[in-house]
Amino acid sequence: MHEGANASDRTDVDVVIVGAGFAGLYMLHEQRKAGRSAVVLEAASGVGGTWYWNRYPGARCDIESLEYSYSFDEDLQQEWQWSERYATQPEILQYLEHVADRFDLRRDIRFDSRVLAATWDDDAATWTVRTEAGDQIAARWVVMATGCLSSTMLPDIEGAATFAGPTYHTGRWPHEGVDFTGLRVGVIGTGSSAIQAIPVIAEQAAHLYVFQRTPHYTVPAHNAPLDPAVRGRIKVDTTIKCHPYNYRPILSCAHILQDIVPNDRPRNRVSLRDGVAGARGPPSPHMVGDPLARPGLRARVFARELLPRRWRETVVAASADPR
């Protein structure tokens, strides 16, 4: 269908859902259960949302896997076995693909369908959603399940357009992966994605430069394979589950609090330069600007480890605005 198609050429459903990540898949399941017709429009070629796009080295969730899963179906909870405390991107994507197949969700998902516009007709009380391919879908409701991580932010760095080497963004990582063996690599930023990617890239790169604007507080992840006994106890103990929404009580608060020292002591006020030097003390005198005054003012960053000692000689960190 193309712009200007008549009403007989368009699709009519009760609900249009944009996005086939965690929220979109659950919304489709719930609309079916409520007896409504629904279609999901997804720009990617598969389900997963942010876990479809973010395939950078070391990508994993910083919420415990037993929390980061659906609770609407008891059989699903019992049959799926997470392997680690913090699941990796491939395992999370495999989980979402399993959910899509188990509940036959794919038949109502249109992949490679990017939404261009949604127009409300007040008289007809109807939305008309148009895609890049020219498809038009009319619906009473439109649900934006696009999340907060669906758009990449490319920094405006002078000279970036004329850089002769390849450039990559963690939010649009090549599905076939990237081999950094023997290369000089620069990483801009030390947020959650960079903290996960830097140690893995350092395993391959001949030299790795890390550019950070502001040093960050980090919290050790204490990741490990899930103890089957602990996993089983959580699955059978219904008191651990929360109200009918999709999240259990946060199980990880205790170790987070243990690793943040009270009275603003600087134990966790670290930068990548501190990690390179192996320090866990006051901010490095080489940093440009101090970290934020207190932990919690920025998003928490879970570090597998800052940098293993055997890689530290390959990494240089500079605390400066790369612009």
Side-chain angles (χ1 to χ4, degrees), residues 217-264:
Y217 284 94
T218 63
V219 177
H222 302 300
N223 187 46
L226 273 176
D227 183 337
V230 173
R231 183 173 56 200
R233 186 170 68 251
I234 292 174
K235 285 176 176 288
V236 301
D237 186 354
T238 57
T239 64
I240 297 178
K241 300 174 186 175
C242 67
H243 49 74
Y245 295 99
N246 282 4
Y247 298 96
R248 300 179 179 90
I250 301 299
L251 306 177
S252 53
C253 288
H255 86 258
I256 294 173
L257 295 176
Q258 289 169 1
D259 288 304
I260 296 178
V261 180
N263 302 321
D264 199 30

XYZ file of all heavy atoms in Angstrom, residues 217-264:
379
model
N 31.280 6.558 39.071
C 31.239 5.559 40.133
C 30.953 4.192 39.512
O 30.119 4.073 38.622
C 30.135 5.883 41.144
C 30.481 6.997 42.087
C 30.103 8.307 41.804
C 31.180 6.749 43.262
C 30.417 9.343 42.670
C 31.493 7.767 44.129
C 31.107 9.071 43.831
O 31.420 10.086 44.682
N 31.631 3.177 39.987
C 31.369 1.830 39.513
C 31.048 0.921 40.691
O 31.485 1.164 41.814
C 32.575 1.237 38.756
O 33.680 1.134 39.653
C 32.948 2.102 37.568
N 30.275 -0.099 40.405
C 29.898 -1.089 41.410
C 30.287 -2.457 40.874
O 29.926 -2.799 39.750
C 28.374 -1.057 41.691
C 27.994 -2.150 42.684
C 27.963 0.307 42.220
N 31.043 -3.253 41.610
C 31.382 -4.590 41.124
C 30.131 -5.438 40.934
O 29.241 -5.459 41.782
C 32.295 -5.161 42.220
C 32.022 -4.327 43.428
C 31.630 -2.968 42.929
N 30.064 -6.144 39.831
C 28.855 -6.901 39.495
C 28.706 -8.178 40.298
O 27.599 -8.652 40.515
C 28.855 -7.233 38.001
N 29.810 -8.775 40.729
C 29.777 -10.071 41.426
C 29.004 -11.095 40.595
O 28.222 -11.871 41.132
C 29.125 -9.925 42.811
C 29.817 -8.944 43.702
N 31.132 -9.077 44.092
C 29.373 -7.799 44.285
C 31.469 -8.063 44.886
N 30.431 -7.270 45.005
N 29.216 -11.055 39.281
C 28.509 -12.005 38.427
C 29.076 -13.409 38.610
O 30.258 -13.583 38.920
C 28.629 -11.593 36.967
C 27.777 -12.446 36.062
O 26.610 -12.703 36.368
N 28.339 -12.909 34.954
N 28.228 -14.410 38.414
C 28.638 -15.801 38.539
C 27.554 -16.677 37.937
O 26.405 -16.238 37.759
C 28.854 -16.169 40.008
N 27.881 -17.929 37.619
C 26.828 -18.861 37.210
C 25.779 -18.987 38.303
O 26.109 -18.962 39.490
C 27.587 -20.184 37.006
C 28.999 -19.778 36.738
C 29.231 -18.547 37.553
N 24.518 -19.103 37.902
C 23.443 -19.210 38.890
C 23.477 -20.562 39.589
O 23.559 -21.614 38.937
C 22.086 -19.016 38.209
C 21.591 -17.580 38.079
C 20.297 -17.539 37.298
C 21.400 -16.932 39.448
N 23.428 -20.522 40.889
C 23.358 -21.738 41.694
C 21.987 -22.373 41.459
O 20.956 -21.750 41.716
C 23.544 -21.384 43.166
C 23.567 -22.612 44.067
O 23.028 -23.665 43.661
O 24.107 -22.502 45.180
N 21.927 -23.605 40.964
C 20.622 -24.239 40.710
C 19.727 -24.282 41.937
O 18.503 -24.154 41.821
C 21.010 -25.651 40.247
C 22.388 -25.519 39.703
C 23.050 -24.467 40.537
N 20.305 -24.421 43.120
C 19.494 -24.464 44.338
C 18.842 -23.111 44.598
O 17.660 -23.033 44.954
C 20.358 -24.882 45.525
N 19.604 -22.031 44.421
C 19.050 -20.684 44.615
C 17.991 -20.398 43.559
O 16.910 -19.886 43.860
C 20.168 -19.626 44.549
C 19.585 -18.224 44.586
C 21.158 -19.828 45.694
N 18.293 -20.750 42.323
C 17.340 -20.532 41.225
C 16.045 -21.297 41.482
O 14.947 -20.767 41.298
C 17.972 -20.977 39.916
C 17.125 -20.735 38.685
C 17.932 -21.058 37.446
N 18.449 -22.424 37.483
C 19.479 -22.843 36.749
N 20.118 -22.015 35.950
N 19.874 -24.106 36.821
N 16.160 -22.530 41.946
C 14.975 -23.331 42.227
C 14.160 -22.778 43.374
O 12.925 -22.793 43.331
N 14.834 -22.267 44.404
C 14.112 -21.721 45.556
C 13.301 -20.489 45.157
O 12.164 -20.313 45.586
C 15.094 -21.373 46.670
C 14.408 -20.924 47.956
C 15.388 -20.829 49.117
N 16.346 -19.743 48.952
C 17.627 -19.903 48.693
N 18.127 -21.129 48.528
N 18.431 -18.871 48.567
N 13.891 -19.640 44.322
C 13.174 -18.447 43.874
C 11.980 -18.825 43.005
O 10.913 -18.211 43.080
C 14.130 -17.515 43.113
C 15.170 -16.948 44.086
C 13.367 -16.388 42.423
C 16.243 -16.129 43.425
N 12.128 -19.865 42.201
C 11.039 -20.274 41.312
C 9.842 -20.843 42.066
O 8.704 -20.736 41.607
C 11.548 -21.301 40.291
C 12.394 -20.706 39.176
C 12.926 -21.808 38.281
C 13.689 -21.249 37.097
N 12.800 -20.621 36.107
N 10.085 -21.477 43.213
C 8.975 -22.114 43.936
C 8.432 -21.266 45.070
O 7.316 -21.502 45.539
C 9.391 -23.491 44.490
C 9.827 -24.403 43.367
C 10.485 -23.359 45.540
N 9.205 -20.262 45.524
C 8.777 -19.442 46.654
C 7.949 -18.271 46.132
O 8.484 -17.271 45.675
C 9.983 -18.938 47.431
C 9.583 -18.200 48.705
O 8.368 -17.996 48.913
O 10.477 -17.837 49.479
N 6.637 -18.403 46.198
C 5.762 -17.364 45.644
C 5.836 -16.060 46.428
O 5.414 -15.020 45.928
C 4.301 -17.846 45.623
O 3.920 -18.219 46.955
C 4.151 -19.038 44.705
N 6.374 -16.071 47.644
C 6.479 -14.822 48.413
C 7.536 -13.909 47.824
O 7.562 -12.713 48.128
C 6.824 -15.114 49.881
O 8.124 -15.724 49.937
C 5.816 -16.042 50.508
N 8.439 -14.453 46.987
C 9.466 -13.619 46.376
C 8.892 -12.799 45.233
O 9.406 -11.752 44.892
C 10.633 -14.499 45.883
C 11.288 -15.193 47.082
C 11.675 -13.694 45.120
C 12.411 -16.122 46.701
N 7.801 -13.272 44.650
C 7.210 -12.556 43.529
C 6.475 -11.310 44.024
O 5.970 -11.262 45.132
C 6.238 -13.458 42.775
C 6.904 -14.703 42.207
C 5.877 -15.612 41.602
C 6.507 -16.917 41.169
N 5.521 -17.874 40.678
N 6.398 -10.339 43.136
C 5.715 -9.109 43.522
C 4.278 -9.131 43.011
O 3.783 -10.149 42.560
C 6.468 -7.898 42.978
S 6.442 -7.766 41.194
N 3.615 -7.994 43.082
C 2.246 -7.859 42.594
C 2.202 -8.178 41.114
O 3.234 -8.374 40.483
C 1.730 -6.455 42.895
C 2.678 -5.372 42.483
N 2.855 -5.024 41.177
C 3.512 -4.591 43.207
C 3.744 -4.050 41.104
N 4.164 -3.781 42.305
N 1.006 -8.215 40.475
C 0.882 -8.813 39.146
C 1.659 -8.153 38.023
O 1.454 -8.503 36.885
C -0.623 -8.701 38.868
C -1.258 -8.626 40.181
C -0.291 -7.874 41.043
N 2.513 -7.180 38.298
C 3.329 -6.638 37.223
C 4.550 -7.525 37.012
O 4.708 -8.556 37.652
C 3.712 -5.190 37.530
C 2.508 -4.290 37.563
C 1.922 -3.943 38.783
C 1.912 -3.837 36.401
C 0.783 -3.155 38.830
C 0.780 -3.044 36.443
C 0.225 -2.701 37.656
O -0.897 -1.922 37.691
N 5.433 -7.081 36.111
C 6.438 -8.007 35.603
C 7.765 -8.010 36.343
O 8.749 -8.487 35.820
C 6.721 -7.681 34.129
C 5.627 -8.233 33.259
O 4.656 -8.774 33.746
N 5.776 -8.101 31.962
N 7.837 -7.466 37.557
C 9.119 -7.427 38.231
C 9.012 -7.943 39.652
O 8.056 -7.670 40.363
C 9.679 -5.997 38.253
C 9.916 -5.478 36.876
C 8.959 -4.687 36.236
C 11.063 -5.825 36.172
C 9.172 -4.238 34.947
C 11.275 -5.384 34.884
C 10.332 -4.591 34.282
O 10.526 -4.154 33.002
N 10.028 -8.686 40.059
C 10.117 -9.149 41.427
C 10.843 -8.099 42.254
O 11.455 -7.183 41.708
C 10.887 -10.471 41.473
C 10.227 -11.578 40.659
C 11.084 -12.839 40.753
N 10.462 -13.908 39.995
C 10.699 -14.142 38.723
N 11.532 -13.383 38.075
N 10.102 -15.122 38.093
N 10.823 -8.238 43.581
C 11.594 -7.293 44.392
C 13.063 -7.334 44.003
O 13.582 -8.361 43.590
C 11.390 -7.818 45.819
C 10.145 -8.625 45.756
C 10.082 -9.205 44.383
N 13.730 -6.211 44.122
C 15.130 -6.146 43.744
C 15.964 -6.978 44.712
O 16.010 -6.709 45.905
C 15.616 -4.684 43.735
C 14.773 -3.865 42.752
C 17.092 -4.612 43.388
C 14.867 -4.346 41.322
N 16.613 -8.002 44.184
C 17.400 -8.906 45.013
C 18.828 -8.420 45.185
O 19.557 -8.924 46.024
C 17.422 -10.302 44.379
C 16.067 -10.926 44.063
C 16.270 -12.263 43.371
C 15.247 -11.107 45.327
N 19.220 -7.442 44.368
C 20.626 -7.065 44.323
C 20.965 -5.856 45.179
O 22.091 -5.408 45.193
C 21.029 -6.772 42.875
O 20.157 -5.825 42.297
N 20.000 -5.306 45.912
C 20.260 -4.081 46.668
C 21.361 -4.268 47.701
O 22.176 -3.382 47.934
C 18.986 -3.613 47.373
S 17.747 -2.941 46.247
N 21.394 -5.442 48.330
C 22.334 -5.635 49.428
C 23.774 -5.462 48.978
O 24.541 -4.720 49.598
C 22.140 -7.028 50.033
N 24.146 -6.118 47.876
C 25.554 -6.011 47.484
C 25.872 -4.651 46.906
O 27.008 -4.195 46.956
C 25.947 -7.155 46.530
C 25.667 -6.904 45.089
N 24.586 -7.459 44.449
C 26.325 -6.169 44.153
C 24.590 -7.100 43.179
N 25.623 -6.310 42.970
N 24.856 -3.948 46.347
C 25.098 -2.586 45.875
C 25.433 -1.686 47.055
O 26.396 -0.921 47.036
C 23.871 -2.040 45.123
C 23.646 -2.826 43.831
C 24.056 -0.560 44.794
C 22.364 -2.462 43.125
N 24.652 -1.793 48.124
C 24.880 -0.947 49.294
C 26.201 -1.273 49.964
O 26.877 -0.391 50.488
C 23.718 -1.112 50.281
C 22.365 -0.613 49.772
C 21.276 -0.924 50.794
C 22.409 0.882 49.493
N 26.592 -2.529 49.942
C 27.856 -2.908 50.558
C 29.034 -2.274 49.835
O 30.072 -2.018 50.439
C 28.007 -4.430 50.548
C 27.076 -5.142 51.515
C 27.055 -6.636 51.286
O 27.757 -7.144 50.419
N 26.249 -7.345 52.055
N 28.888 -2.031 48.547
C 29.998 -1.519 47.764
C 30.002 -0.003 47.638
O 30.888 0.554 46.999
C 29.982 -2.144 46.371
C 30.387 -3.604 46.413
O 31.477 -3.884 46.924
O 29.609 -4.451 45.967
N 29.015 0.666 48.186
C 29.018 2.128 48.222
C 29.273 2.550 49.659
O 28.488 2.260 50.549
C 27.687 2.712 47.709
C 27.505 2.347 46.237
C 27.656 4.210 47.894
C 26.201 2.838 45.649
N 30.369 3.219 49.868
C 30.799 3.544 51.217
C 30.075 4.785 51.710
O 29.954 5.773 50.991
C 32.332 3.768 51.247
C 32.809 4.114 52.649
C 33.026 2.525 50.729
N 29.536 4.791 52.948
C 28.835 5.967 53.455
C 29.786 7.133 53.715
O 31.007 6.999 53.631
C 28.216 5.459 54.761
C 29.098 4.328 55.181
C 29.573 3.689 53.911
N 29.194 8.272 54.071
C 29.947 9.479 54.426
C 30.802 10.001 53.273
O 31.808 10.676 53.492
C 30.840 9.228 55.655
C 30.020 8.775 56.846
O 28.921 9.276 57.074
N 30.540 7.817 57.592
N 30.404 9.647 52.050
C 31.071 10.169 50.861
C 32.555 9.826 50.829
O 33.367 10.559 50.300
C 30.881 11.686 50.748
C 31.150 12.175 49.323
O 30.920 11.385 48.400
O 31.575 13.327 49.169
